[in-house]
Amino acid sequence: MVITRARRLAAVMVALALGAQAMVGTPAGAVPKDGMPDTAKNGRSNSDQNNGNNGNQNNGNNGNQNNGNNGNQNNGNNGNQNNGNNGNQNNGNNGNQNSGNNGKGPVRLGSTTPPRKTLTAAQGETGPSVAFDTMAVDGNGRPGIRIGKSFEPAPYLSGTSYSDAAGAQAEWQMLVLNAQDLTVVLNRSYSTATAPNLPKDFQSLIDSRADLNYRVIITNHPTAGWAVGEGLLSTFEPLGYTFPNAARFRTDSLAHGDFSMVGSVIKSGGQPVQKNFQTKWSDKLEGGRIQAQFMLNSWGNYTYMSNQFVTVDTRSAYDCDSSLGTCTVRIRAGSPTNDGVWSMKGGAGYVVARYDKLTMERTGISAFVTNGPDSNNQAVAMTKALAGLSKDHPGDVVVVSSIRNPEGHNVTVARDVRYDTMSALANQIAAIGGSRDQFNRAAATEGADYNLVGWFDDPSAKSPREGTGVENVGADARLSVEMSLNSESLFRPSVGSPIPLPVDGLREVSYRPNSNEPWPEVNTAAMADIARRLNLPQTDIRQAYWRLADHHWADDSARLARQKYVPTTAYTETEFNRTKQVLEDEFTKVQVIRDKAAALGKPYEQATAETQNVANNVAKQIAVDKNTNVQWSWMKFGDQLVGSLGSLMGFGNATKWANQATKLVAATVAGASRSISAASAMGQYGKDTNVPTYEQISIKAADLSGQVQAALTETRAGVNRQADMILADHAKFAIVSNWSCTAADDPASPEGSWTWCHAEDIPDYFRPTHSAALRSAERVFWTGLAPLEFGVYQLDVSTNTDLKWYGYGLKDYNCGSMFWNSGIFGDSAEWPEETVARLQLNNGELSPKNQPWMARPEYQIYVMGKIKYSSPWSATNTPQQVPASIYHRMFDPISTADLTPATGGLGIRADKYIPTLPHNPLHGCYWSKP
């Protein structure tokens, strides 16, 4: 089984198999006046930036590369590109640098995630999370924006009308909130005539203060008397937001309530203004509505967090009826009512299902019998269909699932399909996020299946999409992929697994909108007296449940049990005893919830403390210049964390829940992956800028371990944040308090509480999670730092994959008479197989177009070696091999028998990582044998 994943713009996904990893983030920085690290302003790559790679690769992204785009990659610029990162930040390390070592030295540790700031009184009243609705109405039908319990109506334009004196109708409402407490700074309506004033007012607001941190909501209401939001480009591009092609709709088909924007605007210490936006644009009535949450982060600011998730299962059911010669696949996206089902008789091929980019509602399904009576024409039809959908429905999600019939059609593509036909189909699969190598290999292998969750881009988009989707290849392969919303409110992959993802009960309950359900009634005077006796907040003890994160409630429960009624006129003994009983029970349950959250975060806490040693061990094996830029992303780290965890515990490909151990791994993996996914959104930028989680930036090598530490710290903080949200809402508190951990011993239980119930379990939770965290940190260091010393030699296309030194192989790859036919790689030593990647791209460079596609596969071959920058004609440029200790550690599989992080390899997929390394030129080189 193989899962490959990667991302271009918004695939924030976790692949749970050996070495399938990739992610994105930001550097640490100086702390401005408001106490929040400045992390996002410098070096943030554009969403499609490829760091000097000619648009074809992502440089060290562990499987997200474009896998050999015809030799055009430049990849790496010697690892020194700066990508706008100024190169001058100290990134919070302040004294931790080994500055006396001529630029060489350990990769130092820096911290970007502080303990939670002391809460203000307003935050205590508001709570740890606040649900908001950009298109709400009050009891009288008046439109506005709801923030928690508060309703902010759209101001009338004249009198009680949403038309101004000249008759122009209202088009936009802009609501500006203070990020610290969500109090209103500005609330204004704009008509179709005054809409140009919106960006001007926005800019004036920014110019009016030297320091600010605002949340801005702009929306078009689906209300009678309001105009359709048509001036999108003219209104919002001046704010600094450009609509990507995938998020656009035809402007002649817009409806009321077509657009909402939630923005973050930060200005501090004379630094450049940071503006980031979450948007939703639709062509349906009220389709632009955003209902999500503001969550309180570690820096004491409320930041956007989506709470919408849809799980896709590419094979929720797959059955074959041998008597009929029919096989049926069921694709599920969310509810069973949204299932796509297709039966194929007497053949094999692919089912293609399309889903709306904003809702994940299934909008189409079709199938193509690429191994049957009309195989070639069916392959052509599939290619055209995918290309047409990309043109007509940019941004929509697509699921590709293979169907095989073991009774005679056990290969998905017939051998006699033309070479040019299959090449075109593979290229189209790459255009929606798959990889040609994996698709071609699966299509040619008996008993192998191919699954892909990708999405359509505008065909005019220039950024490569190959490898940016989520795919799984192998016998009976399937995919379970959680989809979440990106910055344009488009559904994109966030978590993936080769077996069904279990319910994550903690996340599911904590992220629900607040219920505002009252706590059990007690006597307020008695509660205040108890609070005084126990030295607790006297106004409302229940607020302290979530506000006092480090408080020991078990001690208070014991002390409360010893309290006696003291005669008073304020309450009776019965009222006192009732209040005491209720609070004593609550104190005990609060302590359990805090203990569970602490246990869930403990592996990340311990791994954080050990990260520096891991970084130093890697750095001493590579000539690291600490001032050289490397690539970092939070989501890459999350992918590696969950990939390591799954591999470590023998997480295999399975069509069903094979055994209890597999279920336990799935539950643990799901919890960890969702924790890091939330952490990337909440903490990847200390400045709290809402920068989307798919961003990748370039930072100094010296700051890499600081970023890893921040990711681990914020993952732990995310678990505590979920506990806060549970303790702030009685309905959530009651659900979690009543979880039966005996019933939850089955991770597939509907409660999804296995990880929660087993948080203190050392063998099943702590050890594998801690080990995976450290292995993931080491993966980040190797994949980030290795390009500083090692590169890749991309050879000409070949039909032979035997690279032994004898007969035919690297010995016969020559670069002119300088080497006297000895080969640039030497004439005797065998090159380590572990450092060679072969991608079956089948570009048709060597094969006739009308030849059967399986007759002569073509491979792009990549060889990892020591970087050389001199002319390839110089004898001193002969590639040097990677030390065995390094490639074994990087590419050997993770040991499933030993949880010690230093044991075995890291499981990095060589075929995914090697092609992303900086490319060394081999001009004038060629195979001396055909």
Side-chain angles (χ1 to χ4, degrees):
M1 181 278 295
V2 174
I3 293 181
T4 61
R5 59 109 20 242
R7 89 180 31 72
R8 165 191 157 255
L9 178 59
V12 180
M13 130 82 199
V14 185
L16 310 180
L18 277 177
Q21 60 268 348
M23 287 186 10
V24 284
T26 179
V31 179
K33 295 180 181 178
D34 60 3
M36 298 173 297
D38 178 299
T39 61
K41 70 180 190 302
N42 292 325
R44 196 160 45 79
S45 73
N46 295 329
S47 52
D48 294 330
Q49 186 167 344
N50 54 42
N51 303 324
N53 292 342
N54 287 347
N56 290 331
Q57 288 196 323
N58 201 13
N59 210 17
N61 219 21
N62 264 14
N64 294 341
Q65 72 279 6
N66 191 16
N67 287 350
N69 260 339
N70 302 336
N72 294 326
Q73 302 94 322
N74 187 26
N75 268 7
N77 285 340
N78 303 346
N80 293 321
Q81 66 273 20
N82 192 28
N83 293 336
N85 203 31
N86 289 350
N88 298 319
Q89 297 179 15
N90 191 30
N91 291 337
N93 283 334
N94 294 340
N96 289 331
Q97 307 283 355
N98 187 5
S99 57
N101 201 22
N102 298 324
K104 302 292 194 292
V107 181
R108 305 302 300 175
L109 190 63
S111 177
T112 63
T113 302
R116 188 175 72 182
K117 292 184 67 174
T118 301
L119 301 175
T120 66
Q123 289 171 342
E125 292 290 336
T126 302
S129 64
V130 178
F132 68 88
D133 185 348
T134 62
M135 297 181 189
V137 293
D138 65 9
N140 298 316
R142 185 176 179 183
I145 299 169
R146 189 173 301 282
I147 309 293
K149 298 179 182 179
S150 300
F151 178 77
E152 305 299 335
Y156 293 118
L157 295 178
S158 61
T160 58
S161 171
Y162 283 113
S163 296
D164 62 19
Q169 291 181 311
E171 187 176 15
W172 305 110
Q173 177 186 4
M174 179 167 70
L175 179 68
V176 181
L177 307 169
N178 189 305
Q180 282 74 38
D181 55 16
L182 300 180
T183 53
V184 176
V185 177
L186 177 70
N187 184 12
R188 191 166 294 172
S189 297
Y190 298 87
S191 71
T192 53
T194 60
N197 293 333
L198 189 154
K200 297 177 183 177
D201 292 347
F202 182 88
Q203 189 61 48
S204 296
L205 194 67
I206 294 174
D207 294 339
S208 65
R209 292 185 56 186
D211 295 278
L212 57 87
N213 195 336
Y214 292 149
R215 301 296 174 262
V216 182
I217 298 177
I218 303 172
T219 189
N220 171 262
H221 288 293
T223 305
W226 277 63
V228 173
E230 292 185 300
L232 294 175
L233 301 183
S234 60
T235 302
F236 296 109
E237 287 193 346
L239 303 182
Y241 178 77
T242 302
F243 293 94
N245 287 333
R248 293 173 181 262
F249 288 92
R250 294 174 53 185
T251 56
D252 60 356
S253 60
L254 297 179
H256 289 85
D258 61 350
F259 183 80
S260 290
M261 169 184 284
V262 181
S264 170
V265 183
I266 298 172
K267 183 180 178 184
S268 178
Q271 299 168 352
V273 176
Q274 302 171 46
K275 297 181 289 186
N276 296 282
F277 304 101
Q278 181 84 19
T279 63
K280 190 173 183 180
W281 185 10
S282 174
D283 58 353
K284 298 178 175 63
L285 177 66
E286 205 175 303
R289 186 178 191 177
I290 295 178
Q291 293 174 297
Q293 297 186 76
F294 288 120
M295 293 174 61
L296 191 62
N297 69 8
S298 300
W299 291 269
N301 297 300
Y302 286 94
T303 190
Y304 173 92
M305 174 63 73
S306 171
N307 56 0
Q308 296 185 49
F309 309 93
V310 175
T311 300
V312 173
D313 191 330
T314 62
R315 287 189 169 204
S316 65
Y318 185 78
D319 299 294
C320 290
D321 187 331
S322 57
S323 64
L324 298 177
T326 300
C327 290
T328 303
V329 65
R330 179 181 296 270
I331 302 173
R332 175 160 296 173
S335 168
T337 60
N338 200 34
D339 283 359
V341 183
W342 198 279
S343 295
M344 188 175 292
K345 184 174 183 178
Y350 302 92
V351 176
V352 177
R354 179 172 65 88
Y355 298 87
D356 185 271
K357 58 189 174 184
L358 300 178
T359 65
M360 283 302 294
E361 176 185 358
R362 183 171 56 83
T363 53
I365 186 169
S366 54
F368 304 90
V369 185
T370 50
N371 186 358
D374 195 21
S375 303
N376 193 80
N377 287 335
Q378 285 285 289
V380 171
M382 182 174 173
T383 303
K384 291 181 178 179
L386 290 174
L389 291 174
S390 180
K391 178 180 179 181
D392 297 335
H393 304 280
D396 277 4
V397 175
V398 60
V399 175
V400 178
S401 183
S402 61
I403 292 184
R404 288 179 298 103
N405 190 329
E407 303 292 331
H409 293 86
N410 208 22
V411 178
T412 52
V413 178
R415 297 184 60 88
D416 59 356
V417 169
R418 285 169 51 110
Y419 207 103
D420 55 350
T421 298
M422 189 59 182
S423 179
L425 178 56
N427 282 325
Q428 194 57 52
I429 289 291
I432 58 175
S435 60
R436 288 170 291 170
D437 177 63
Q438 295 298 302
F439 178 73
N440 285 329
R441 289 178 186 272
T445 303
E446 185 171 348
D449 285 297
Y450 180 81
N451 295 264
L452 169 68
V453 177
W455 61 94
F456 299 112
D457 265 347
D458 186 318
S460 65
K462 298 186 182 302
S463 300
R465 283 292 319 283
E466 182 163 11
T468 60
V470 187
E471 57 186 356
N472 190 11
V473 176
D476 299 318
R478 75 188 290 181
L479 268 176
S480 182
V481 179
E482 183 181 87
M483 311 292 291
S484 59
L485 299 176
N486 72 355
S487 65
E488 283 81 36
S489 289
L490 308 179
F491 274 100
R492 294 293 181 259
S494 60
V495 181
S497 163
I499 66 174
L501 282 166
V503 175
D504 179 10
L506 178 63
R507 197 277 305 274
E508 195 276 328
V509 173
S510 63
Y511 279 28
R512 293 177 185 175
N514 293 335
S515 69
N516 298 316
E517 177 181 294
W519 289 77
E521 186 177 353
V522 297
N523 184 280
T524 55
M527 183 168 63
D529 190 21
I530 289 172
R532 178 185 57 79
R533 297 188 198 185
L534 302 182
N535 196 29
L536 291 170
Q538 296 184 34
T539 53
D540 188 347
I541 289 178
R542 271 72 178 261
Q543 280 191 9
Y545 293 165
W546 77 268
R547 295 183 64 176
L548 304 181
D550 299 321
H551 192 75
H552 203 269
W553 292 95
D555 291 345
D556 287 325
S557 180
R559 292 170 58 200
L560 179 56
R562 297 191 294 268
Q563 301 302 311
K564 303 296 183 181
Y565 173 71
V566 177
T568 177
T569 59
Y571 49 84
T572 67
E573 183 174 5
T574 299
E575 290 172 326
F576 175 83
N577 289 335
R578 162 66 180 164
T579 300
K580 172 184 171 181
Q581 179 183 11
V582 170
L583 293 179
E584 189 177 341
D585 178 65
E586 289 177 1
F587 288 1
T588 301
K589 292 177 178 177
V590 170
Q591 188 65 59
V592 169
I593 291 173
R594 285 296 183 195
D595 287 346
K596 291 287 188 180
L600 288 171
K602 190 67 176 176
Y604 306 107
E605 179 184 14
Q606 183 164 326
T608 302
E610 301 171 39
T611 297
Q612 183 61 68
N613 289 335
V614 175
N616 291 344
N617 182 57
V618 173
K620 72 182 181 181
Q621 300 180 63
I622 298 177
V624 176
D625 182 338
K626 68 181 183 181
N627 293 313
T628 300
N629 279 21
V630 297
Q631 303 308 305
W632 161 258
S633 68
W634 275 63
M635 287 310 296
K636 180 187 293 184
F637 176 77
D639 291 356
Q640 292 167 332
L641 170 63
V642 180
S644 293
L645 183 59
S647 299
L648 186 68
M649 299 183 71
F651 198 55
N653 188 36
T655 56
K656 297 181 179 179
W657 295 82
N659 51 54
Q660 185 76 353
T662 305
K663 298 178 186 180
L664 302 187
V665 176
T668 306
V669 164
S673 63
R674 285 152 177 158
S675 294
I676 191 67
S677 180
S680 67
M682 292 296 294
Q684 68 167 330
Y685 294 116
K687 280 290 291 183
D688 189 19
T689 59
N690 272 344
V691 174
T693 57
Y694 47 76
E695 294 281 356
Q696 171 159 308
I697 53 95
S698 179
I699 64 172
K700 293 180 181 179
D703 302 319
L704 190 56
S705 61
Q707 288 297 330
V708 173
Q709 185 205 38
L712 290 169
T713 302
E714 185 57 36
T715 302
R716 177 192 173 208
V719 177
N720 291 331
R721 192 176 294 118
Q722 290 178 326
D724 289 346
M725 292 189 288
I726 288 169
L727 294 171
D729 187 321
H730 180 260
K732 300 176 184 179
F733 176 80
I735 291 172
V736 173
S737 298
N738 291 320
W739 273 344
S740 171
C741 285
T742 53
D745 280 343
D746 183 353
S749 65
E751 290 178 338
S753 54
W754 181 89
T755 308
W756 173 263
C757 292
H758 292 264
E760 294 99 342
D761 192 309
I762 299 299
D764 281 341
Y765 177 74
F766 176 84
R767 285 178 183 169
T769 306
H770 167 257
S771 180
L774 280 182
R775 290 173 189 263
S776 302
E778 189 173 351
R779 279 179 166 182
V780 168
F781 298 137
W782 277 117
T783 57
L785 299 177
L788 303 184
E789 181 145 3
F790 303 107
V792 65
Y793 294 83
Q794 180 177 325
L795 312 187
D796 288 346
V797 174
S798 173
T799 60
N800 195 315
T801 61
D802 181 7
L803 301 185
K804 303 293 185 182
W805 67 269
Y806 49 85
Y808 180 95
L810 291 179
K811 171 182 178 292
D812 301 296
Y813 198 74
N814 298 316
C815 295
S817 58
M818 172 66 70
F819 290 93
W820 299 284
N821 291 323
S822 63
I824 190 174
F825 294 95
D827 60 355
S828 58
E830 296 182 16
W831 203 261
E833 283 291 316
E834 292 87 345
T835 57
V836 177
R838 307 166 181 81
L839 303 185
Q840 185 178 336
L841 304 185
N842 290 358
N843 290 325
E845 297 181 25
L846 305 177
S847 304
K849 295 181 179 180
N850 60 355
Q851 178 176 315
W853 81 280
M854 285 193 199
R856 199 183 187 200
E858 296 179 2
Y859 299 88
Q860 188 73 66
I861 300 174
Y862 301 87
V863 180
M864 181 177 176
K866 190 76 174 285
I867 292 178
K868 292 290 184 180
Y869 299 110
S870 57
S871 166
W873 299 106
S874 168
T876 61
N877 192 58
T878 302
Q880 298 179 12
Q881 295 183 10
V882 179
S885 60
I886 291 180
Y887 68 68
H888 279 305
R889 181 59 177 168
M890 291 182 69
F891 304 133
D892 280 3
I894 291 176
S895 170
T896 59
D898 190 342
L899 294 181
T900 305
T903 301
L906 297 175
I908 297 172
R909 287 278 304 279
D911 61 329
K912 299 300 172 186
Y913 177 67
I914 289 176
T916 71
L917 289 166
H919 281 226
N920 293 313
L922 286 177
H923 304 300
C925 300
Y926 54 90
W927 294 103
S928 60
K929 295 185 178 182

